[in-house]
Amino acid sequence: MIRKYIFGSPIETGAVVGTSVTDTYEHMTLMDMVYDSTSVVLSYTMEEDDVIYGLGQQVRGINKRGYLYISNATDDPNHIETKHSLYGAHNFLIVCGKKTFGIFIDDPGQVSFDVGYTAIDSLKVTAGGDCVIYTIEGSSLKDIVKQFRKLIGQSYVAPKWAFGYQQSRWGYKDIKDVRRVISGHHDQNIPLEAVCLDIDYMERYKDFTVDREAFPDFEGFVEEIKQQNVHLVPIIDAGVKIEEGYDVYEEGVKYGYFCKDEDGNDFVAAVWPGKVHFPDVLNSDARKWFGGKYRWLIEQGIDGFWNDMNEPAIFYSQKQLDQVFDELVAMRNENLDINSYFHMKDIVSELSNSPKDYRSFYHNMDGRVICHDKVHNLFGYNMTKAASEAFDTIAPDRRILMYSRSSYIGMHRYGGIWTGDNQAWWQQLLLSIQQMPSLNMCGILYTGSDIGGFGGDTTPDLLMRWLEFGLFTPLMRNHAAAGTREKEVYQFDRLDDYRNIIRIRYSLMTYIYSEFMKSVLDDEMYFRPVAFDYPDDRQAYAVEDQLMVGESIMIAPVYIQNAKGRYVYLPEEMMMVRMKSPEEKTCEMIAAGHHYIPVALNEIVIFIKKGHLLPMIILPKQVKTMADVDETRLEWLGAKDDEASYVLYTDDGISKKYTEKSQWKIIKMRNEDIGCGK
Ligand code: MIG
């Protein structure tokens, strides 16, 4: 049962596409409500054992209790506990306890979630005065999520090749670099499906251009690597460089498609290319125009993109920079004491992503002029929507890969996300594990983190453990910041171990893809907190570092340095599969309860649920890309059980004909055909 409450005159965000029952807000009974035209405040007293789920891409645990979260899309590379906002705004949460219900705040401005921050037992949600709030009641956690997902519409489907291993680095600059990365993997028999191009491929950071010195025959090069079944995935940034003679800039000015400042001039900010304008992606004409720009790259053979800096991130705006220079000049001959010295530093660093700037430019939402700060969280979403809608005309019959940095609920229909600029810290591996189910609740299914950590110098063991988790994430991408240690797996010794881990991903491809697609088509979660599958087990609610993945398995990644294993909680008896490679595995039944499970650095363990089966592809010796894999050669793992079955989804991986139920097959295996290495 979904109830809808309207406050003031909300901005249409497009987040919701399904039906609900409209009620008057005086009737809201699930939470206490105070509405005073500038804000809506919802409060709730949590019981000791209540668990709060949701909030998508946020810091901290799966249970969100104990912190203040603010939806305010922010470019911040330090994803530490005391941050309040990351790149996305995912205003959905579930209160789970004596009363269990979901709540979605459709408000594109700032929304805050005080989940036991001010007082341990109090939950307080504060939104602006113009918003729509939905409450969702259901029979279980899974049911609430499913209803919510129906409300917000079907998730984005990536092409199947995008489930292969992707290598990225800020710094690959030319054909030579890309070739080196491909052969670095393929010559060593390490699977690699795609190489991402970061900003260095562009001509002076101009969107929809390619540096002709670095890529003299770009189209030919795309074709050359396509022959090797490898895809190139270029980045697109939100800011359009101001440069005479650059067509995207000139057209945007001419048609009035850029965001405006207070005086009606095109708003000037600075990002990578220096000064830029922002395309007004909240305007449908501008969106159509900007989306159309992806055509050129698609015509060169490109079939995947990542949209970056679309919070939108701002290094500085011209106006504020001028003011800061004036202040600095005035300070020049002063004797700077402690306060004025820090003030000087602050005014410079506060130039970036400044709330003042977000208050000083405007969108034309199809006739309605609206200040950016009221709709800040919609920018990345609409940049991605622009591309996706264009793909429907440019390539109507096939899927194009798209993942964005910033997002809002609704964007999950147009693309996936990566979780942004994390760090090469062990703690960030845990955060990435914890973010996955929360993102899945909000419909964001095609997602993953920068494996090994984006910022900082990774270590060989962190990279290995991170790959062991990353092999389960739909987006499996190793990415690194400029200036950090090179971390393509072939840069390290123990190459056999890295190869084996990536090969395990490829051997699980049938399962991972089938489960991803079933989650999309059935509005379910690919990654779930353990309690979602075992709601009657009180202990399951406390599990913060294990996940259910698809219908058949539970994972318990190791995320602590030098750990030789870890404690795992089994809500029921399961079959543990321990693997060093797709070929070297042992299976063992483990009883319900807490167990210390040794897991060597080069091992992964998977727990198969009762009554379920896990298909694994029997790989040939040489696998460079998915093209080398024969998915009809499967072995089936699980406990011998006459009742065991698996629901397998398959399709061609590229067309958009994925709604046919005939693509779902219930697989039952004879007991003698189930088992390790059968
Ligand atoms: O301010 O394009 O999150 O993945 O490598 C940094 C350079 C801009 C941020 C992205 C990151 C990318 C980087 N970008």
Side-chain angles (χ1 to χ4, degrees):
M1 174 75 186
I2 306 185
R3 289 196 177 81
K4 173 180 183 179
Y5 304 93
I6 301 170
F7 298 85
S9 41
I11 290 158
E12 180 49 66
T13 64
V16 164
V17 294
T19 53
S20 54
V21 177
T22 304
D23 204 341
T24 48
Y25 54 74
E26 292 87 353
H27 291 161
M28 186 181 293
T29 50
L30 285 165
M31 297 177 84
D32 292 331
M33 194 263 314
V34 178
Y35 169 51
D36 73 357
S37 87
T38 58
S39 70
V40 184
V41 181
L42 300 172
S43 346
Y44 186 79
T45 304
M46 297 180 286
E47 305 219 329
E48 182 94 26
D49 289 338
D50 285 0
V51 176
I52 308 295
Y53 291 108
L55 300 182
Q57 181 184 20
Q58 263 295 5
V59 293
R60 303 206 177 215
I62 294 175
N63 181 350
K64 303 315 280 192
R65 279 187 81 150
Y67 201 54
L68 172 67
Y69 309 91
I70 300 174
S71 290
N72 180 33
T74 305
D75 171 18
D76 187 335
N78 288 305
H79 307 170
I80 53 175
E81 281 180 29
T82 45
K83 292 300 165 81
H84 301 286
S85 311
L86 295 178
Y87 312 86
H90 308 130
N91 303 333
F92 173 66
L93 56 79
I94 301 177
V95 174
C96 169
K98 198 153 169 206
K99 271 205 257 178
T100 297
F101 58 93
I103 174 150
F104 172 48
I105 317 288
D106 193 8
D107 178 344
Q110 282 194 20
V111 179
S112 72
F113 298 87
D114 178 338
V115 193
Y117 175 72
T118 304
I120 285 181
D121 296 326
S122 110
L123 165 66
K124 199 163 137 194
V125 180
T126 308
D130 300 299
C131 67
V132 185
I133 295 180
Y134 298 84
T135 60
I136 304 155
E137 289 168 278
S139 57
S140 64
L141 288 163
K142 282 185 175 178
D143 176 52
I144 288 170
V145 170
K146 196 174 200 140
Q147 289 187 54
F148 176 58
R149 296 272 299 283
K150 285 210 155 52
L151 183 74
I152 59 174
Q154 194 173 86
S155 298
Y156 164 75
V157 175
K160 190 166 183 181
W161 63 262
F163 292 76
Y165 183 55
Q166 301 179 37
Q167 179 64 50
S168 184
R169 178 179 183 78
W170 177 6
Y172 298 152
K173 56 181 187 315
D174 56 19
I175 287 187
K176 243 176 53 222
D177 286 347
V178 178
R179 282 200 185 119
R180 190 183 318 119
V181 171
I182 297 172
S183 61
H185 289 85
H186 286 181
D187 292 355
Q188 301 282 354
N189 188 24
I190 300 164
L192 177 72
E193 216 74 23
V195 178
C196 301
L197 293 179
D198 206 318
I199 46 175
D200 317 86
Y201 80 92
M202 292 184 241
E203 184 196 311
R204 294 193 299 287
Y205 307 131
K206 289 186 295 185
D207 279 339
F208 314 112
T209 68
V210 170
D211 180 342
R212 286 296 171 194
E213 267 166 43
F215 296 91
D217 173 15
F218 187 67
E219 193 175 357
F221 181 60
V222 176
E223 182 53 35
E224 170 196 318
I225 68 167
K226 200 158 267 181
Q227 293 305 316
Q228 305 167 56
N229 299 303
V230 178
H231 300 253
L232 267 191
V233 182
I235 196 170
I236 304 292
D237 274 22
V240 172
K241 183 173 171 61
I242 298 177
E243 185 182 284
E244 296 305 323
Y246 167 39
D247 57 340
V248 185
Y249 160 73
E250 289 190 339
E251 285 173 29
V253 170
K254 180 164 140 210
Y255 299 123
Y257 286 157
F258 292 127
C259 293
K260 305 280 187 238
D261 66 15
E262 294 100 326
D263 306 320
N265 302 316
D266 293 331
F267 174 71
V268 181
V271 207
W272 290 114
K275 287 176 199 163
V276 300
H277 293 319
F278 291 125
D280 187 357
V281 287
L282 298 190
N283 177 280
S284 51
D285 292 333
R287 197 161 57 232
K288 195 159 180 208
W289 164 75
F290 192 77
K293 294 293 164 199
Y294 289 76
R295 175 184 289 273
W296 179 75
L297 283 161
I298 292 176
E299 283 170 356
Q300 311 273 305
I302 293 298
D303 49 10
F305 300 90
W306 44 313
N307 277 348
D308 191 21
M309 303 297 273
N310 52 6
E311 293 67 35
I314 297 179
F315 292 171
Y316 62 85
S317 68
Q318 192 56 51
K319 271 198 187 140
Q320 281 209 62
L321 185 67
D322 292 343
Q323 282 169 17
V324 166
F325 271 120
D326 289 348
E327 271 198 68
L328 291 177
V329 169
M331 283 181 216
R332 175 144 196 177
N333 296 313
E334 297 293 309
N335 176 4
L336 296 183
D337 64 8
I338 178 153
N339 293 325
S340 37
Y341 166 71
F342 282 108
H343 177 69
M344 175 196 75
K345 285 178 60 165
D346 287 350
I347 58 176
V348 175
S349 68
E350 283 165 9
L351 275 170
S352 297
N353 307 322
S354 143
K356 257 197 224 158
D357 285 333
Y358 293 131
R359 282 195 297 270
S360 75
F361 70 93
Y362 295 82
H363 297 275
N364 178 345
M365 283 185 87
D366 298 345
R368 182 171 175 191
V369 173
I370 192 143
C371 184
H372 176 78
D373 72 332
K374 297 267 180 309
V375 289
H376 175 66
N377 293 330
L378 297 182
F379 196 94
Y381 161 18
N382 280 279
M383 177 185 175
T384 300
K385 181 175 173 183
S388 164
E389 285 177 342
F391 299 160
D392 288 341
T393 19
I394 302 166
D397 303 321
R398 62 191 165 99
R399 311 174 203 169
I400 304 282
L401 173 61
M402 166 57 77
Y403 45 97
S404 172
R405 193 170 71 177
S406 186
S407 61
Y408 182 83
I409 289 173
M411 199 203 81
H412 70 288
R413 302 195 299 272
Y414 302 104
I417 70 160
W418 86 101
T419 58
D421 300 345
N422 56 13
Q423 302 285 336
W425 306 335
W426 289 85
Q427 178 277 333
Q428 301 272 284
L429 168 54
L430 174 61
L431 175 66
S432 152
I433 296 166
Q434 292 170 325
Q435 283 173 327
M436 291 298 130
S438 310
L439 284 165
N440 278 196
M441 284 174 213
C442 302
I444 300 168
L445 298 179
Y446 186 79
T447 181
S449 55
D450 287 351
I451 293 175
F454 172 77
D457 293 327
T458 202
T459 57
D461 54 340
L462 176 59
L463 179 64
M464 199 172 293
R465 288 298 196 197
W466 207 317
L467 285 163
E468 289 164 8
F469 167 62
L471 75 86
F472 294 101
T473 58
L475 166 62
M476 184 189 186
R477 185 179 77 147
N478 175 337
H479 180 46
T484 60
R485 174 182 194 176
E486 297 191 355
K487 69 191 214 331
E488 299 78 14
V489 293
Y490 57 77
Q491 306 282 359
F492 301 94
D493 60 3
R494 297 190 54 172
L495 200 59
D496 290 349
D497 291 338
Y498 293 107
R499 179 190 306 108
N500 283 333
I501 294 165
I502 300 171
R503 278 173 63 87
I504 291 173
R505 161 68 165 218
Y506 277 66
S507 73
L508 287 171
M509 200 65 85
T510 300
Y511 180 73
I512 290 170
Y513 184 71
S514 166
E515 291 306 319
F516 174 86
M517 290 303 296
K518 282 156 57 185
S519 312
V520 170
L521 299 170
D522 262 355
D523 297 307
E524 278 173 5
M525 293 161 66
Y526 169 91
F527 284 119
R528 296 175 304 282
V530 174
F532 275 52
D533 284 30
Y534 301 93
D536 299 327
D537 180 343
R538 279 317 305 171
Q539 295 194 67
Y541 290 86
V543 178
E544 282 281 338
D545 58 0
Q546 302 172 202
L547 296 175
M548 309 308 301
V549 186
E551 71 162 65
S552 304
I553 65 174
M554 181 177 82
I555 59 169
V558 176
Y559 54 88
I560 290 181
Q561 187 158 32
N562 298 319
K564 303 266 179 267
R566 53 161 289 169
Y567 282 94
V568 180
Y569 176 66
L570 274 71
E572 62 175 344
E573 186 188 38
M574 293 184 183
M575 174 180 269
M576 179 174 76
V577 184
R578 174 187 296 284
M579 294 187 232
K580 281 207 166 83
S581 74
E583 294 79 29
E584 295 162 85
K585 48 186 180 293
T586 56
C587 298
E588 181 187 343
M589 293 307 293
I590 309 273
H594 294 273
H595 298 269
Y596 182 81
I597 306 285
V599 190
L601 182 58
N602 61 349
E603 276 183 334
I604 75 151
V605 291
I606 294 177
F607 300 86
I608 304 180
K609 288 170 75 176
K610 263 197 164 153
H612 292 271
L613 297 171
L614 175 67
M616 278 188 79
I617 306 166
I618 302 168
L619 297 181
K621 287 243 152 45
Q622 296 276 332
V623 178
K624 293 192 163 88
T625 66
M626 301 264 279
D628 301 324
V629 172
D630 175 2
E631 288 192 70
T632 61
R633 298 199 62 218
L634 294 176
E635 60 178 322
W636 295 85
L637 275 57
K640 295 193 190 301
D641 174 352
D642 293 331
E643 301 301 310
S645 66
Y646 177 70
V647 179
L648 175 68
Y649 172 92
T650 51
D651 65 18
D652 63 14
I654 190 74
S655 78
K656 292 186 175 171
K657 297 195 195 91
Y658 42 69
T659 45
E660 290 288 310
K661 276 274 177 182
S662 62
Q663 292 166 162
W664 301 57
K665 261 189 250 137
I666 297 175
I667 309 278
K668 283 201 162 248
M669 300 301 295
R670 291 180 310 172
N671 274 335
E672 57 265 40
D673 295 329
I674 301 173
C676 266
K678 283 259 160 100

